Amino acid sequence: MKQKGFAKARKGGQEVHITDFTHIPDLKRKQLLKAGIETVEQLASTQPKKYYDFRKITRMSEIQGDTDGPVAIVGKIQGFRSGPKYVTAIVDDGSGTLLNVTWFHQPYIERTLYLYVPYIFCGKISYSPTFNNFSMAAPVFYSCHKSDFGRIIPVYRKIPGMSVEYFRDTVKLAASMLIADPDFEDSLDADIRSALEIPEIKEYFRMLHAPMSDTDLEKATQRNIADKLFPFALKMAWRAKGLSDTTPYRMQSFQKTVQFMESLPFSMTKDQRQAVETILAGLKSGKRLDALVQGDVGCGKTVVAVAACVAAAENGYQSVIMVPTTVLAEQHYRKFSEDLQGSNIKTVYLASGMKAAERRNVLKQIENGEAQVIVGTHAVISESVVFKNLALAVIDEEHRFGVKQRTAFREKTGTGVHSISMTATPIPRTLANAFYGGDTKVINIHTMPAGRKPVQTVVFGNEEKVYEAMYRQIQAGHQCYVVCPLIEDSDSDALAEVESANQTAKKMKDWFAQYPEVHIAKVTGDLEKNTIQKRIEEFAAGKAQILISTTIVEVGVNVPNATVMVIKNAERFGLAQLHQLRGRVGRGDAQSFCVLLSKDRNNPRLRTMVATNDGFEIAQEDMALRGTGNLVGIEQHGFDQCVTLMLQHPDMYAKCVEQAKVLIGSDKIQGATYQQMLVDSADI
């Protein structure tokens, strides 16, 4: 690309918009905008998806047969052969062996390549003993640029309408503009860069787009990691700074709490008792308790939360429990009311959709302190809720709430209020500390309640055989779930073999028509909340033997009589979601089953589900399966990306946390750049 001279990449400190990037034609600017690239800085920051190492050029005389992967050949085109659907260039690299390089359905190739000009061709080579020749079909890269010879070449994503080479040159041009622009400054101070052992931003752009060595690639990767993890660490450190580690709610008496635990109609597991003891010690310490209770689906986390609420009530305080769905909120309310029956502890329920008079009555009881335990959805953080003496806040399945809801909950509960988070998706201690603060007590519940039998999990492909097995369970007096990934049929080719809940309901009703005693219900997210709740309650009451749904039943549905969970197109679900769905069965004394319906019998997620019921093992395997691979070029965003990077690069994250704390303790945190980092990372 011919360079027209340099303009600044920034004007008045602001990024130059692509529409003002006069170094390329208007059509190309429109193509970049359509691809989501709006500024010169965004263009220069484009991450290569991979690199080709052309420092070593392979000679054709060195190749004996098929190559395992792409190799780089430098040769001159001696001639062409072409047909209606292909173009083949005969390439001679001077070693005595010719190479046939073929492109399919690209007739223009012959017009764009020149005879007797050296080109680099990169691709996998195949040998044909029949014709005694070597061929390369659809090379992944080719170039006649002299600068590409003997170099490490970045490969970027494809921009529709733009050649790979043109986009590469445009990215390099934008990067060179930033490097030459005196107004373009690094967002990280020199002392932070030194502590993190990463290059200055302009040197980083050079290493990223024109690496000269493996060291350059390594340093560019480290800078890339730091640029993503440092704002994350800064946000977490800033959030932790805003949380008080002291509390006015110091609790002393736990006699009634112990009596409550002893009065339960079942014996608490060792882990449950240990969890309660840890929480009570925290409530008594005089410091604000910040605990994360994590355990498998059905391990009994809720009764631990009930015990904590009893402790708060015994000491004259209120507690609030916020859950993500109405179904789960009502289930928790029934559970709390049942467990606290006869304890003289007033429990109330608050959610959207309540009648006005009923809601006013509940709000009054909360404000005057009559209500000691408040269970509800995000309605508990609405402006109309006024607590009298709230001392304990419990949030269940916190990851299912939005950022604004989590923030509002923290603000609503106030300074010094003890906090307990509960999750059925186990995460490592280091990760928990990053999310919730360095003083977080991570409490694991591994053991399951006595009498629970492990759910037997199988991968199966014959749907009618599954119906027959379901009917045998129904004859034995049990019930079944069937979960589908879609509500309605899709026209997408990618979803052509995915059956919707509607289609499944029709198929199953036709098959079970021979057994009129079998009643089938269906719940999906497009129904009204009242309808969903009514059908789930009817299923729980045994009025329907089969409940067909989407993942709306993933949490909050507790039917001990249900012994079968059928998940259709199971390969479409993530490991954590599959495990959550499996947790809907096995909640009673009868043997339960999880059937993963799929044609992909060798899917690694499905194999993991069959191999183990341990949520902690599944969480570790889930992280391993979802690894980011090569960092350079990843396109993840926000929270998920930071989680993965933190787990993969704990040393870098530790350095980022240390430097973030130093920065927050200095005047530099007031700088516009760092304040913008906090704003940009608000959704973390």
Side-chain angles (χ1 to χ4, degrees):
M1 179 187 299
K2 186 177 180 181
Q3 191 169 308
K4 299 181 180 179
F6 273 103
K8 284 189 175 182
R10 288 183 166 235
K11 292 181 179 179
Q14 300 297 313
E15 295 182 38
V16 172
H17 197 270
I18 284 295
T19 52
D20 298 323
F21 188 37
T22 57
H23 292 66
I24 61 175
D26 183 58
L27 175 62
K28 299 301 181 184
R29 292 197 293 269
K30 290 180 179 178
Q31 290 170 347
L32 292 174
L33 283 171
K34 193 172 182 179
I37 299 173
E38 298 182 351
T39 68
V40 173
E41 192 166 326
Q42 283 181 349
L43 179 61
S45 300
T46 300
Q47 298 292 314
K49 61 181 182 180
K50 58 184 174 182
Y51 291 89
Y52 290 135
D53 189 351
F54 290 160
R55 289 174 297 176
K56 180 184 183 302
I57 301 298
T58 301
R59 302 282 287 174
M60 285 300 303
S61 57
E62 300 172 12
I63 298 174
Q64 302 300 316
D66 295 353
T67 60
D68 294 331
V71 295
I73 302 292
V74 174
K76 297 179 180 180
I77 299 175
Q78 303 300 309
F80 292 97
R81 290 195 309 269
S82 61
K85 298 181 179 180
Y86 74 93
V87 173
T88 297
I90 296 90
V91 177
D92 182 4
D93 73 342
S95 68
T97 301
L98 298 178
L99 172 67
N100 296 321
V101 182
T102 301
W103 293 262
F104 298 97
H105 305 289
Q106 299 179 63
Y108 62 87
I109 289 289
E110 189 173 356
R111 299 191 299 271
T112 59
L113 300 181
Y114 298 94
L115 295 175
Y116 315 121
V117 172
Y119 284 87
I120 289 179
F121 297 97
C122 180
K124 186 176 180 180
I125 293 179
S126 299
Y127 173 70
S128 171
T130 302
F131 299 101
N132 190 29
N133 66 9
F134 293 88
S135 62
M136 179 187 291
V140 290
F141 181 86
Y142 60 94
S143 171
C144 65
H145 285 253
K146 292 183 179 180
S147 61
D148 291 343
F149 290 71
R151 298 282 300 278
I152 301 172
I153 305 300
V155 181
Y156 304 90
R157 62 181 172 124
K158 182 74 173 70
I159 303 296
M162 189 178 295
S163 73
V164 172
E165 289 186 338
Y166 190 95
F167 182 58
R168 186 188 69 187
D169 289 348
T170 304
V171 169
K172 291 178 70 173
L173 174 60
S176 63
M177 289 174 63
L178 286 177
I179 292 171
D181 190 343
D183 292 336
F184 179 64
E185 298 179 354
D186 203 316
S187 60
L188 298 177
D189 292 338
D191 51 351
I192 295 178
R193 297 197 304 270
S194 176
L196 300 182
E197 299 181 87
I198 57 175
E200 186 269 339
I201 189 66
K202 292 185 178 182
E203 183 64 4
Y204 160 68
F205 276 124
R206 198 274 302 165
M207 293 174 172
L208 183 69
H209 300 300
M212 302 299 293
S213 64
D214 292 337
T215 300
D216 280 358
L217 287 175
E218 183 179 349
K219 288 184 177 180
T221 298
Q222 291 302 307
R223 173 75 200 217
N224 200 357
I225 296 169
D227 281 343
K228 292 172 175 62
L229 280 183
F230 186 79
F232 178 72
L234 185 64
K235 182 65 177 182
M236 291 301 169
W238 185 262
R239 181 181 295 172
K241 178 178 179 291
L243 293 175
S244 172
D245 60 355
T246 60
T247 179
Y249 310 111
R250 183 172 185 174
M251 304 184 193
Q252 300 289 343
S253 175
F254 301 114
Q255 183 177 352
K256 290 183 179 179
T257 308
V258 174
Q259 291 174 352
F260 160 75
M261 294 167 64
E262 293 176 347
S263 69
L264 291 169
F266 56 86
S267 296
M268 296 180 73
T269 66
K270 179 182 178 181
D271 284 356
Q272 285 176 316
R273 288 185 174 277
Q274 183 63 50
V276 174
E277 291 173 5
T278 301
I279 289 171
L280 297 186
L283 296 175
K284 188 178 181 178
S285 68
K287 293 185 177 181
R288 175 182 172 274
L289 172 69
D290 188 5
L292 171 65
V293 180
Q294 57 181 13
D296 220 343
V297 178
C299 72
K301 296 184 295 295
T302 304
V303 74
V304 173
V306 175
C309 293
V310 171
E314 181 178 353
N315 286 272
Y317 298 118
Q318 290 176 307
S319 54
V320 60
I321 300 91
M322 185 172 77
V323 296
T325 66
T326 302
V327 172
L328 185 56
E330 292 189 358
Q331 177 185 313
H332 274 358
Y333 174 64
R334 288 193 295 270
K335 174 66 175 173
F336 273 68
S337 299
E338 178 184 332
D339 288 346
L340 297 176
Q341 190 174 9
S343 66
N344 295 321
I345 296 176
K346 176 71 172 179
T347 304
V348 297
Y349 172 74
L350 187 65
S352 57
M354 297 174 64
K355 293 181 179 179
E358 182 183 10
R359 179 180 175 82
R360 283 196 299 271
N361 184 44
V362 171
L363 291 174
K364 181 179 178 181
Q365 293 179 55
I366 295 173
E367 188 170 5
N368 63 26
E370 181 182 348
Q372 295 162 284
V373 179
I374 301 95
V375 181
T377 59
H378 60 276
V380 301
I381 58 176
S382 61
E383 292 183 5
S384 57
V385 178
V386 179
F387 298 105
K388 182 178 182 179
N389 54 358
L390 181 68
L392 174 64
V394 181
I395 182 168
D396 195 13
E397 301 292 345
E398 181 177 13
H399 66 280
R400 294 176 65 89
F401 287 98
V403 175
K404 292 182 179 179
Q405 290 173 322
R406 295 198 301 267
T407 302
F409 187 69
R410 285 193 294 269
E411 293 175 350
K412 187 74 177 182
T413 53
T415 303
V417 171
H418 300 289
S419 172
I420 299 176
S421 297
M422 300 194 299
T423 177
T425 305
I427 55 178
R429 181 179 300 274
T430 53
L431 186 55
N433 287 337
F435 293 163
Y436 301 99
D439 296 325
T440 300
K441 295 182 183 297
V442 181
I443 303 171
N444 295 326
I445 300 179
H446 288 278
T447 54
M448 300 295 284
R452 293 281 179 88
K453 298 178 181 178
V455 178
Q456 292 185 14
T457 304
V458 296
V459 181
F460 214 69
N462 189 320
E463 193 164 343
E464 288 205 2
K465 292 290 185 182
V466 174
Y467 293 170
E468 293 172 3
M470 290 170 62
Y471 184 62
R472 288 194 293 272
Q473 287 290 308
I474 292 170
Q475 283 181 305
H478 300 304
Q479 295 164 276
C480 312
Y481 295 100
V482 178
V483 174
C484 306
L486 300 174
I487 297 175
E488 298 177 339
D489 296 344
S490 173
D491 293 330
S492 169
D493 291 339
L495 300 174
E497 296 184 0
V498 178
E499 284 195 359
S500 66
N502 292 342
Q503 186 179 355
T504 298
K506 182 180 184 306
K507 180 190 292 187
M508 294 190 69
K509 286 179 179 178
D510 289 343
W511 194 91
F512 279 98
Q514 59 188 311
Y515 306 114
E517 72 275 19
V518 177
H519 296 280
I520 300 174
K522 176 169 67 82
V523 293
T524 52
D526 59 338
L527 298 175
E528 293 183 357
K529 290 183 179 180
N530 292 339
T531 302
I532 294 173
Q533 184 61 33
K534 180 181 178 181
R535 292 184 183 178
I536 289 177
E537 289 175 353
E538 289 176 349
F539 179 69
K543 294 181 180 180
Q545 285 71 47
I546 299 174
L547 181 65
I548 300 172
S549 75
T550 52
T551 54
I552 195 170
V553 298
E554 181 181 343
V555 295
V557 181
N558 184 21
V559 183
N561 191 49
T563 58
V564 178
M565 167 60 73
V566 178
I567 305 175
K568 298 194 67 174
N569 295 105
E571 75 283 351
R572 295 277 173 172
F573 296 88
L575 253 180
Q577 199 167 40
L578 288 171
H579 186 58
Q580 284 276 4
L581 290 169
R582 177 169 60 183
R584 295 307 100 204
V585 295
R587 307 177 81 86
D589 297 332
Q591 178 63 59
S592 294
F593 306 88
C594 178
V595 181
L596 307 174
L597 267 175
S598 176
K599 295 180 180 179
D600 188 2
R601 304 289 294 274
N602 292 318
N603 185 286
R605 295 190 301 278
L606 305 190
R607 291 203 306 268
T608 298
M609 287 291 292
V610 172
T612 181
N613 282 52
D614 189 312
F616 289 84
E617 288 184 21
I618 286 174
Q620 291 176 344
E621 183 65 18
D622 192 26
M623 183 58 66
L625 290 173
R626 291 188 294 111
T628 59
N630 294 328
L631 175 73
V632 177
I634 64 174
E635 295 297 336
Q636 296 176 323
H637 299 281
F639 188 79
D640 288 339
Q641 181 194 42
C642 292
V643 169
T644 304
L645 290 179
M646 193 193 77
L647 289 173
Q648 291 187 329
H649 306 280
D651 293 342
M652 175 62 80
Y653 182 70
K655 292 179 184 178
C656 288
V657 170
E658 181 180 352
Q659 291 305 305
K661 290 179 178 178
V662 171
L663 179 62
I664 288 175
S666 71
D667 294 337
K668 292 181 180 179
I669 189 62
Q670 301 301 327
T673 300
Y674 295 120
Q675 288 297 307
Q676 190 61 45
M677 276 189 191
L678 290 172
V679 172
D680 292 342
S681 60
D683 286 340
I684 291 177

